[in-house]
Amino acid sequence: MTGHEEAAADDGTTFEEIPRDECFRLLAGQTIGRVAVADFGAAPLVVPVNFLVVGEAVIFRTDYGSKFRLAVLGEQPVSFQVDEVEPGRPSGWSVLLQGNATEVAESEEEHLSLRPWAPGAKSHWVRIAPDVVSGRRIRLAPFPGDDRGGYL
């Protein structure tokens, strides 16, 4: 799918591509996302972080640990994902950013406000500037014969 397209399955389930600007609006309304980094030959490390959106970048704070060493110092590509599932409803969305991470300059840090949820100093500010932004929204169709409202 390209642009703002929607596909529907025979059962009525819809799958919609979310435009880039809406992806960033959805991200800005959330507080927790997942950063994924991997070293050559290793399984990806996926960790939750609280974050903020600045323009078309995601910024989070971290310690000098695996995330920082792999993403920033190792210059490995990263992925950042946020999703939301509507409680009690079979629908939701997911936004995925892919790109590179860099450390935020000290001069920029003073303009940012983000209190880390996880313990530790979290003295390193990291920016993910995405090369790829993709978003998907899905709405499942009712499942015939289900006495819980027709959904799986």
Side-chain angles (χ1 to χ4, degrees):
M1 288 189 287
T2 59
H4 184 73
E5 297 180 27
E6 185 173 310
D10 292 340
D11 68 358
T13 295
T14 60
F15 186 75
E16 176 186 1
E17 190 172 312
I18 301 172
R20 183 181 179 102
D21 61 331
E22 187 177 350
C23 285
F24 284 101
R25 279 195 304 275
L26 290 169
L27 288 175
Q30 300 297 310
T31 56
I32 300 292
R34 288 173 293 285
V35 174
V37 295
D39 200 359
F40 182 76
L45 172 66
V46 180
V47 292
V49 295
N50 59 313
F51 70 97
L52 49 95
V53 175
V54 177
E56 287 197 349
V58 165
I59 296 177
F60 65 94
R61 293 176 65 176
T62 189
D63 288 321
Y64 185 81
S66 297
K67 292 189 299 285
F68 184 77
R69 287 192 313 272
L70 288 171
V72 177
L73 300 179
E75 299 180 348
Q76 298 295 320
V78 301
S79 293
F80 182 81
Q81 194 264 338
V82 175
D83 56 38
E84 181 176 87
V85 176
E86 295 180 38
R89 300 191 53 173
S91 62
W93 56 264
S94 177
V95 171
L96 176 66
L97 308 180
Q98 295 173 305
N100 293 303
T102 56
E103 189 164 13
V104 173
E106 284 186 37
S107 61
E108 293 178 74
E109 289 176 18
E110 63 191 43
H111 303 292
L112 302 172
S113 177
L114 180 64
R115 181 178 174 203
W117 289 16
K122 309 293 184 218
S123 59
H124 296 279
W125 293 75
V126 177
R127 173 186 291 113
I128 299 173
D131 297 319
V132 176
V133 177
S134 61
R136 305 285 184 268
R137 181 175 283 114
I138 188 168
R139 291 179 188 90
L140 294 177
F143 185 71
D146 188 329
D147 62 355
R148 296 172 293 166
Y151 298 100
L152 292 172

